[in-house]
Amino acid sequence: MDNPLLDRHGEALDLFTDRVHAVRADQWGAPTPCAEWSVRDLVNHLTAEQLWVPPLVGEGRTMAEVGDAFDGDVLGDDPVATWDRAAAASRAAFAGRGALERTVRLSFGPTRADAYCSQMVLDAVVHTWDLSRGIGANERLPRPLVDFALKEVAPYADSLPQSGLFDPPLEPPPGADAQTRLLALLGRESGPSGA
């Protein structure tokens, strides 16, 4: 049952989980590289993204059928436990028999579940870097996940700023490593904090 995509998805969830568990009680309100998002806002965003997976992939529901169930704050009084449950449910939904061959109905139209899973890997990888910077944790991302994310985002990186959720791509410095190139594609400058 080896599946490279599920492996990358699990690794990305594990990486973000590691950072969520590293958030100190006094850091939930700290800023992140995501404009207007605190550490809590960022973890809330990723948690809500995971909560969408079981109804869309596992149950075949549409976004309209799910409605606003995951709008607003989904973290409640125990953000870490809520993230852990959401990540486990997302992992299980994508790993279900035949799940990656299904079609899911996303905001931009019908999409193969394997493509949706790839997007979720990218999201978790880049937001792990954001969260790491927000809490002062190790910002180095595993090379296999960086390579996967670069391959995923390269074809559509130029269109991301139109969504209003991403800054325009930056020009990476000459000789930049894969992680720096990935972050630059997503409008992030990976120099020292505050640079």
Side-chain angles (χ1 to χ4, degrees):
M1 288 290 291
D2 244 9
N3 183 300
L5 176 54
L6 291 179
D7 290 345
R8 294 294 88 79
H9 180 250
E11 290 161 8
L13 289 177
D14 289 345
L15 189 64
F16 194 78
T17 296
D18 178 73
R19 299 306 191 273
V20 171
H21 282 255
V23 178
R24 297 190 317 262
D26 63 345
Q27 291 182 313
W28 290 101
T32 69
C34 301
E36 301 175 17
W37 274 1
S38 67
V39 165
R40 184 181 174 98
D41 295 331
L42 175 60
V43 174
N44 187 72
H45 165 72
L46 256 288
T47 302
E49 291 290 309
Q50 306 318 309
L51 291 172
W52 276 101
V53 177
L56 295 179
V57 175
E59 301 165 21
R61 295 166 68 191
T62 65
M63 294 187 78
E65 288 168 343
V66 177
D68 62 2
F70 308 127
D71 288 358
D73 179 71
V74 298
L75 294 178
D77 295 334
D78 193 342
V80 175
T82 303
W83 161 260
D84 286 347
R85 285 191 301 271
S90 172
R91 188 187 310 247
F94 276 126
R97 183 179 298 277
L100 293 178
E101 286 77 50
R102 296 178 191 145
T103 297
V104 292
R105 292 160 194 84
L106 304 179
S107 57
F108 47 84
T111 304
R112 277 185 51 112
D114 57 353
Y116 177 36
C117 187
S118 294
Q119 293 163 18
M120 294 290 277
V121 173
L122 167 67
D123 209 34
V125 170
V126 70
H127 286 318
T128 294
W129 182 85
D130 294 328
L131 182 55
S132 298
R133 176 149 291 196
I135 66 172
N138 180 8
E139 296 176 11
R140 180 53 52 187
L141 302 168
R143 184 61 188 263
L145 286 174
V146 170
D147 289 345
F148 181 96
L150 262 174
K151 185 176 178 184
E152 167 62 24
V153 75
Y156 56 82
D158 288 342
S159 68
L160 290 175
Q162 298 165 14
S163 70
L165 300 174
F166 292 87
D167 289 333
L170 303 173
E171 187 65 38
D177 65 10
Q179 177 170 316
T180 302
R181 293 196 313 274
L182 171 65
L183 295 169
L185 265 179
L186 297 167
R188 287 157 168 84
E189 189 173 345
S190 60
S193 293

